[in-house]
Amino acid sequence: MYSIILLGTGNLATHLFNAFIVQSQVRIVQVYGRNPERLKKFESRVETCSDSTKIKDADVYIIAVKDDAISDVAQLLYSKKGVVVHTSGAMEMDCIPLTNRGVFYPLQTFTKGKPLNFKDIPICLETSENSSMKLLRYLAEQITNNVHEIDSEQRKKLHLAAVFANNFTSYLYQISKDICEKEGLPFSLLRPLILETAEKVQIMHPHEAQTGPARRGDLGSIQNHIGLLENEQQTKIYKLLSEAIQETHEKKL
Ligand SMILES: NC(=O)c1ccc[n+]([C@@H]2O[C@H](COP(=O)([O-])OP(=O)(O)OC[C@H]3O[C@@H](n4cnc5c(N)ncnc54)[C@H](OP(=O)(O)O)[C@@H]3O)[C@@H](O)[C@H]2O)c1
C-alpha cells in the first residue's frame, strides 16, 4: 500500500481526496492547507495540518495549490524522501526545486460541489526518476483507466488547448447567459444546444461540426447580431470569432 499527502484544500485537492480515500491500495496520511478553516471538511476522515513543520512522511506528496505557489509549497518538503508532484497543466516539472519530483496532471475541469467520476479522466504523468514513474502510474491507475506519460513541453501545449476547449467556452456561456437574462429569457433554453455541441465533437471533427451564420457566410444575420450587441467587448469577441470561423471555412465576411 502506498501513502500520500495532499497539499491544498481547493477544487482539485477535494476531488483527489474523494477519489483516493476510497481506494484500498492507497492511504491518505494527511491533508495540509495553510488555512485551518478550509481543512475542516477533511477533519472527520483524515489527519489534517496547517503547520508546515508537522507534515508527515509519505511515498508521494501531491501539491494541488495555485500555480504560483507550487515552488514555495514544494520547498516545505525539502527534507522529505518521497516523490513531490504538482498537478498543474501549465507549470514545468522543474518548478519543483527538489531532486525527486514529478507531475500528476488530471485533464478535467474540477469544481468543489460538482461530483466527478475519475475513471475516464486522463492523468498526465512526468517524473525526474524512473522509479517514481512506476509509483505514480500505479497510483493513477487506482483511480483512472486513462494514464499518459507527457513531458512538460507537450503538457503546456495540451493545457493551452484545454484553455480554448474549456475556459473560453465557459466564458462564452457566460455571455450567452447575460444576453438571455437581459431579455428575460431563461439560460436553460440553451442547455440542450450546449450539450449537443459537446456531444457532436465526440464523434465528429470540430471543423465539420461547425454551424451558424459565420460558417454559412450569412452576412446579413452577422450584421444584425452586431447591431444587437450593446457591449463593446462582446462585439469585439463576436467579430473576431466570426472572422476566424469564416477564414477557416474560406469565405470572406
Ligand atoms: N480546478 C481544476 O479544474 C484543475 C484541473 C487540473 C489541474 N488543476 C491544478 O490544480 C492546482 C489547484 O487548482 P484548484 O483549481 O484546485 O485551485 P483552488 O480551488 O483555487 O485552490 C487553490 C489552493 O491553493 C492554496 N494556495 C493558494 N496560494 C497559496 C500559497 N501561497 N501557499 C499555500 N497554499 C496556497 C489555496 O489555499 P487557501 O484556501 O488558503 O487560499 C487552496 O488550497 C493548480 O495547480 C491547477 O493548475 C486544477
Side-chain angles (χ1 to χ4, degrees):
M1 180 185 289
Y2 289 109
S3 57
I4 63 175
I5 291 181
L6 280 172
L7 298 101
T9 55
N11 289 314
L12 181 58
T14 305
H15 277 274
L16 286 174
F17 178 83
N18 291 333
F20 279 123
I21 198 75
V22 293
Q23 302 305 322
S24 55
Q25 296 308 310
V26 182
R27 187 168 68 94
I28 304 179
V29 174
Q30 222 177 17
V31 175
Y32 165 82
R34 61 178 178 173
N35 182 340
E37 269 303 300
R38 305 234 160 87
L39 286 166
K40 281 191 174 153
K41 67 178 173 197
F42 302 98
E43 273 171 11
S44 63
R45 301 174 80 190
V46 72
E47 183 180 320
T48 61
C49 145
S50 57
D51 175 350
S52 63
T53 65
K54 301 214 166 101
I55 298 174
K56 291 194 159 169
D57 292 328
D59 297 311
V60 182
Y61 298 84
I62 302 181
I63 301 177
V65 302
K66 189 174 178 254
D67 290 355
D68 291 347
I70 292 169
S71 282
D72 289 348
V73 172
Q75 279 172 37
L76 304 174
L77 305 167
Y78 73 96
S79 64
K80 302 294 186 191
K81 290 205 175 70
V83 55
V84 175
V85 301
H86 72 66
T87 55
S88 171
M91 300 293 288
E92 292 191 356
M93 175 174 72
D94 292 348
C95 73
I96 296 177
L98 303 169
T99 316
N100 193 0
R101 61 193 183 282
V103 179
F104 191 97
Y105 167 54
L107 205 179
Q108 185 50 281
T109 171
F110 299 95
T111 303
K112 279 183 257 181
K114 166 67 177 69
L116 266 177
N117 184 349
F118 256 91
K119 198 171 64 64
D120 297 320
I121 295 175
I123 295 189
C124 309
L125 303 177
E126 183 180 11
T127 54
S128 58
E129 317 275 323
N130 287 338
S131 57
S132 299
M133 177 54 79
K134 270 176 93 174
L135 169 50
L136 287 192
R137 182 173 273 282
Y138 179 83
L139 273 189
E141 283 173 354
Q142 301 306 302
I143 57 175
T144 180
N145 300 319
N146 202 349
V147 181
H148 303 265
E149 285 183 39
I150 292 185
D151 69 24
S152 289
E153 283 313 304
Q154 284 180 310
R155 193 182 54 258
K156 279 195 275 183
K157 299 275 172 59
L158 188 61
H159 186 255
L160 173 64
V163 165
F164 275 93
N166 170 257
N167 300 178
F168 293 166
T169 48
S170 288
Y171 185 73
L172 296 178
Y173 297 153
Q174 194 183 316
I175 295 179
S176 300
K177 189 169 191 296
D178 290 349
I179 292 172
C180 284
E181 282 178 354
K182 262 194 158 175
E183 210 45 47
L185 294 163
F187 177 63
S188 60
L189 285 174
L190 294 177
R191 289 208 168 107
L193 171 75
I194 290 170
L195 274 185
E196 176 61 12
T197 309
E199 275 173 16
K200 241 196 316 188
V201 293
Q202 308 300 315
I203 54 162
M204 286 175 83
H205 191 291
H207 183 85
E208 296 306 318
Q210 186 69 257
T211 59
R215 162 75 173 88
R216 292 188 298 270
D218 272 337
L219 301 186
S221 298
I222 291 172
Q223 288 313 320
N224 284 342
H225 282 167
I226 292 169
L228 291 171
L229 285 162
E230 293 164 14
N231 174 315
E232 195 185 328
Q233 194 181 43
Q234 290 174 4
T235 307
K236 269 194 210 161
I237 293 170
Y238 186 99
K239 286 184 176 171
L240 188 71
L241 289 179
S242 293
E243 278 165 19
I245 293 169
Q246 289 248 318
E247 273 168 30
T248 312
H249 289 273
E250 291 170 346
K251 285 179 192 152
K252 293 280 161 250
L253 270 173

